[in-house]
Amino acid sequence: MPPVSVDGFPETFRREGRIVVVGASLAGLRAAETLRAEGFRGTLTMIGDEPHEPYDRPPLSKQVLLGLVPPDHTALPRRRAIDARWRLGTAATGLDAAAKEVRLADGDTVPYDRLLIATGVRSRPWPHELESDLDGVFVLRTRDHAARLHRRLSAGPRRVLVIGAGFTGSEIASACRGRGLPVTVAERGPAPLVGALGGVIGEVAAELQRAHGVDLRCGVQVTGLEGDSGGRVRRAHFSDGSAVDADVVVVCLGATRNTEWLAGSGLGAGPRGIACDAGCRAFDVRGIVTDDVFVAGDVARSPHPLFGYQFLSLEHWGNAVAQAETAAHNMISASVDRRPHLWMPSFWSAQFGVNIKSVGVPPMADQLLVTQGSLTEHRFTAVYGHQGRVIAATTFDQGKWLEFYERQIERAAPFPPEFPTVDRRPEGRHPIAAGFPDPSLPTHGPTVTLSGHSPADRRLSFTPRRA
Amino acid sequence: MTSASPLRQILDPAHRADPYPLYAELRKTPVVRDGTGPYLVSTYWEIQELLHDPRVSSDARNLNPEAAAFLGQEEEDPNLPPTFLRLDPPDHDRLRDLAMRPFGPPHTPRRISDMRGELAGIVTQLIDGFRGRDHLDLVDSFAYPFPVTVICRLLGVPREDEPRFHVWADTLAAGLDPVHGTPEEREAQRETLRRARADLAAYLAGLVEERRRSPRDDMLSALATDHGPDGRMSPLEMVSTAALLLIAGHETTVNLITNGMLTLLRDPGLLRRLRDEPALAAPFVEELLRFDPPVQLLPQRTTLADIDIAGTTVPKGASLWLLLASGNRDPRRFPEPDRFLPERPDNQHLSFGSGIHTCFGAPLARLETQIALTELTRRLTGPRLAEDPPPYRRNAVLRGPRHLPVVIEGLAD
C-alpha cells in the first residue's frame, strides 16, 4: 500500500486555495509577491486599515521630514504583479479561527484557507487623551502622520519638543535640526538609544545630539502638556520642575503591536506580539502550533536558536522582508519543503550625519568592547558580549565591517575578542559594562526584544509615567 | 595543483591569455600556501569574508619584507606618500572621505552622472578619428586615451596639458609590470618611473596651488578649497590622491574596455545583441566585470592575527593574495560560471572588491565602459579580430591585452 500523505493537498491548494493577508505594508506585500512567484494561483486578498497601497516607512522620519521626498512618493517598489483583491482602508476587527473567517470593520467577513497576519505595530500614543488631542501634538508611524508633521515643520515652529529618544525620536530631532528648527528632546532614560544600544553607546548618541544643537534633557519625564485657549499646544512641563515652550510636540514612546483584533481568537497574541514557530506558524494560547495561520513582520515573536530559543520581537525592515518570504513559502509548501526563519537581527539608522548599523541582539549583552575606532571620534565598531560570547555589534560610520561581526555572532565567537584589528585603540583593550537599563522596565525603541519562552506571553504592560 | 608554486604559474606570461583553467584547479583548495610564502585564496565566499575581516591589513608598511620584495614595492616616495588604497583606518577613512566629498554621494551625488555628455563627446571624437582606416589597435587608439582624458577633465587638468598627462600615465602604467631584463635595464626602468612620478607630483602640486587661488568646478579645486567637517587634506595628500586617481582609474578602465571588446568580437551573437539593445549595456558591463576582470587579484594584504578560514589557519603576518577573478568563476556562487550571460541575476561579482576598500572609481568605470562599448558596437561596421588571442601585457595583476588589433569595414555616424 502506498503511503498516505496528509500533505497531499499542496497542488490543489496552490491552484484553488484562498489566502488572506491581513496587513498591507512591507511584510504583507512581500509575502503576497512571494506567494505568486512560487506558484500560488488561487485567490489572494489583501486587507489593510490604511487607505494607501503599501509604502515604505524608513524615509518617513528622514527624507520626508527634510522635504527631500514628498510623503506620497514612498510607495514600495513592486517586484511583480500580485493579482490580489485589495480591501484597503478597512481594518480587520476579529478572527474566527474555527470558521476560518476574518471580520472587517465594515461588517464583512472574508473566508480563508490560510491566513497571514502582518498587522505590524502602531505608535504608542501620549497617555493623556486630552493632552494628546491638542493641536500640534503628533506621533509618527504612517504616511499621513508624516505628511501632517512635515506640513507643520514647514510652517516654521518656534520650537519642537520630541518626547522619547529612541530611534524614531532621534531621527526626527535630526531632521528638525537639518531644517534649522530649535529642538528639545526629553528622554526618561540616561541617554538616547539606551534601550536599543545601551548606555555606553547612548552617551555617544547624546554627544551627537548636543553637538548638533539639540537641547537634550535626559533623566526627565514630561509630566504634562499645556494648551492655549485655542486648543494648541504651547508648553510642556518636566518632572524636574522645568518647562519648555514648544508649538510642535512629537510623541515617540515606541510601538504597540496590533494584536487587539485577535482578542478571543485563541491565538497566542498579546502586547509583545503573536508567538509563532520558526516556520512562521502561529501558536494558539495552549502552545499548540496552528497549521493555517501564519505570522510575519513586526507583529511576530519567533524563537531564535542563536539567542537561546527565546522568542524575539524585531521591529526591523529586513526582518519583515525575510520573514514574509519564509512565511509565504511555507504557506504553500508541504512540511518537508518548509524553511525556518533564521534571520540575523539587523537594522540601521541615519541621524545627525552618522550612519548607525547593528547586528545581533545588543540588549541581551552585559558587556561591550570597542574593537575598531573610537567612541570619542563618533566612528567605531562596538562588540557586545553575553556570557563569554559575541552576541551583537554596532557601528557608527563603520558599517562595512559588520559582515565580519555577523559571522562572529553566528559562530558564537568568544567575548572579549582578543585579536588585533586594523584600528584597535587602547580604549578597546578591556570590556566595559554595556549599560542597558533593567530589562524588567520596558523602554521605548529597543527594536529587538527578547520575550522569554512562553508562546502566550501577556504579562507585559507599559506605563510611561512610572520609571 | 602539481606545482609547488601556483603563484609562479599565475605570474608566468604563458598563462596570461587564459588564466582561468589555473584558477579552476586552484579552487579545489580554497586556501593554499604558495611555495613562495603567500597564501592564495581562490573561492568566492572565502574572498568575500576576508575582504570584510578587520584582522586583514591593507597598509603596505605591514607587508612582510619578502612579500614587498616579491611585489617589487617601491621604497617610500617622498613626493607621493601612501594613499588610502594602501592605508588602514583611521587614516584610510579620513582620506577616502575627503576624496569622496567632491566625487560622489552624499556630498556630490551628481558629479559622475553629470559627466555623461562629456564622456560621450570624447568617445565620439576618438571613434571619428578611425575614419578612413580599416586596421585599428583598439588599445592605443581608443581604450588608452579615453580614460586619461576623462580623468584630466574630472581633476581639472587644462586641455593644453593633457598630452603631458598621457605620457606620465603611459610610463606609470608600464611601471605596474614587474621590472625585467639585465640589472642595468632594470635600474633604467626604475629611474624612468621615479622621474615620471616626480614630474607628475610637481605638476599636480602646481595645479593644486593654482586651483586653491582661483577655484573652478573640478575635483582639484574642491579638494583644495572645501572645508569639510574633518578639515582638509594637506597639499601633499591632495597630490598623492590625484595621482592615485590617475593611475588606478586608468589602467583598470583600459583593460575593462579592451576585455569587453575582445569578448564581443569573439561572439558575434553577443555583439549583435548589444547593438540591437543598447539598454543591455549596464548588465553587460557587470557580467564583463565578473567574467574577465581588469584587476585579477589583490596581492597587498597582510594578516594581523591568526585567521581560520576554510579549514586552514593563516598565521599572523602572512601575505594574502585574494584571487578575485577566480572567485568570480566559483561554481558554488555563480551557476555556469564560465559562460558569459549578460542577464545573469544576482551578479555580485568581486571585481570592485568589497568592504572599506571597494573601488573608489567604480561608478565612473562603469559609465565609461557602458558608453564606450555601446558606441563602439554601434559605429564599427563589420569589426573582427585580426589576432586571437591578442598580445597581453606582462602584468598578471592588472591583466589585459597590450594591443587589440581589429579589422573594420567602415564607420557608421
Side-chain angles (χ1 to χ4, degrees), chain A residues 353 371-373 377 379-381 396-405 407-408 411 418-425, chain B residues 45 48-58 88-90 93-94 96-97 230 304-305 308 316 354-358:
Chain A
T371 53
Q372 293 176 245
E377 292 166 18
R379 183 174 200 136
F380 61 86
T381 302
F396 274 42
D397 277 346
Q398 284 199 348
K400 287 184 171 171
W401 296 110
L402 219 45
E403 253 186 67
F404 170 79
Y405 294 98
R407 273 188 299 272
Q408 295 268 301
R411 291 167 190 174
E418 303 286 352
F419 49 79
T421 69
V422 286
D423 191 16
R424 189 136 175 196
R425 312 284 183 89
Chain B
W45 297 112
Q48 176 72 13
E49 206 169 313
L50 290 166
L51 287 171
H52 291 265
D53 196 319
R55 299 166 297 180
V56 175
S57 168
S58 293
D88 289 337
D93 294 0
R94 181 180 66 86
R96 184 166 164 136
D97 285 0
D230 306 316
L304 300 175
D308 293 322
K316 177 181 173 173
S354 193
I356 64 163
H357 291 284
T358 299

Side-chain angles (χ1 to χ4, degrees), chain B residues 343-360:
Chain B
E343 279 143 326
R344 187 179 285 280
D346 187 26
N347 199 346
Q348 297 280 341
H349 56 73
L350 298 169
S351 305
F352 288 131
S354 193
I356 64 163
H357 291 284
T358 299
C359 178
F360 180 90

Side-chain angles (χ1 to χ4, degrees), chain A residues 126 131-139 225 233 247-251:
Chain A
W126 186 242
E131 292 179 10
S132 72
D133 285 347
L134 288 170
D135 181 40
V137 178
F138 297 87
V139 292
L225 299 175
V233 69
D247 37 7
V248 171
V249 173
V250 194
V251 178

